[in-house]
Amino acid sequence: METIVSRAELEAMFDQTLQEVTCRVGGIRLHQGGAPLEGEVYTVYVRFDRGLHSSLCLCAEKSMFLRLTRFMMRREEVTHQDMEDFAKEYFNVVCGHIAAKLYETTQMAYRFSVPGFCSGRYQLEGHEEQLVLSYSGDQDEGAQMIHLIPIETPSGDWAGLCADQAGSLALD
């Protein structure tokens, strides 16, 4: 199999997209690095339905999701349901931009599920964390972008996206 997108390229794509969209849509400047997540955390997540057999999650402290929601709604008073709804919409935009960048690179269409939202850290059975990008917001909100891949991969250690014999993309 020929590698089309390396792990490093995918990581850079996730990082750049998350930082740009979070600043533009949510008014939060993220910086890579940061302390472990503290306090109450929530996760917004998607599963790639076509193009990749993996999931992408954003696990963040409640303060980041609240700030994001307040910015997007342009009001201070927000409910838990507002936070959940706006976190899903925000992550839908993030993943849409990632899918577009993957298409530019690979010329293959990517589809992902409707975003889900849960309390705590999301873990998909049969998958493991492959990429974990940690962030600190400009008001010390903690967040992590997590790429989950199937535990059983053909070569054991995942290096990137590869074209298989049928021309579909697979995890290497």
Side-chain angles (χ1 to χ4, degrees):
M1 283 194 254
E2 179 185 336
T3 300
I4 295 173
V5 180
S6 71
R7 179 179 173 165
E9 291 169 319
L10 198 59
E11 184 175 323
M13 190 180 298
F14 290 166
D15 174 50
Q16 179 185 17
T17 303
L18 183 68
Q19 288 195 46
E20 288 174 358
V21 172
T22 303
C23 184
R24 189 174 61 248
V25 172
I28 299 172
R29 293 196 184 280
L30 295 176
H31 308 283
Q32 254 200 357
L37 302 180
E38 295 180 348
E40 197 171 353
V41 297
Y42 292 92
T43 305
V44 62
Y45 58 92
V46 297
R47 286 181 303 282
F48 283 93
D49 294 332
R50 187 167 86 185
L52 286 173
H53 298 288
S54 62
S55 292
L56 196 56
C57 312
L58 179 67
C59 184
E61 294 171 1
K62 181 180 180 180
S63 59
M64 180 176 157
F65 285 124
L66 283 173
R67 185 171 167 212
L68 181 83
T69 304
R70 289 175 178 138
F71 185 87
M72 292 172 73
M73 291 183 71
R74 307 274 189 240
R75 67 176 199 227
E76 199 58 33
E77 294 299 316
V78 297
T79 67
H80 179 82
Q81 189 62 52
D82 293 334
M83 182 179 73
E84 181 176 333
D85 292 345
F86 278 85
K88 288 188 220 178
E89 184 58 36
Y90 151 77
F91 204 56
N92 192 50
V93 172
V94 169
C95 292
H97 282 262
I98 288 171
K101 286 183 179 186
L102 282 168
Y103 178 80
E104 288 174 13
T105 303
T106 66
Q107 298 302 300
M108 295 189 75
Y110 294 83
R111 300 281 185 263
F112 49 88
S113 65
V114 172
F117 187 84
C118 67
S119 178
R121 190 177 192 90
Y122 175 78
Q123 182 62 47
L124 181 60
E125 190 173 324
H127 288 67
E128 66 184 356
E129 295 177 356
Q130 186 58 40
L131 295 175
V132 179
L133 304 172
S134 296
Y135 297 91
S136 178
D138 51 8
Q139 292 183 9
D140 293 325
E141 307 95 338
Q144 291 182 324
M145 175 77 102
I146 304 162
H147 186 224
L148 299 169
I149 63 167
I151 291 172
E152 296 181 25
T153 58
S155 63
D157 185 29
W158 181 73
L161 298 179
C162 300
D164 65 15
Q165 294 164 340
S168 299
L169 288 184
L171 298 173
D172 176 31

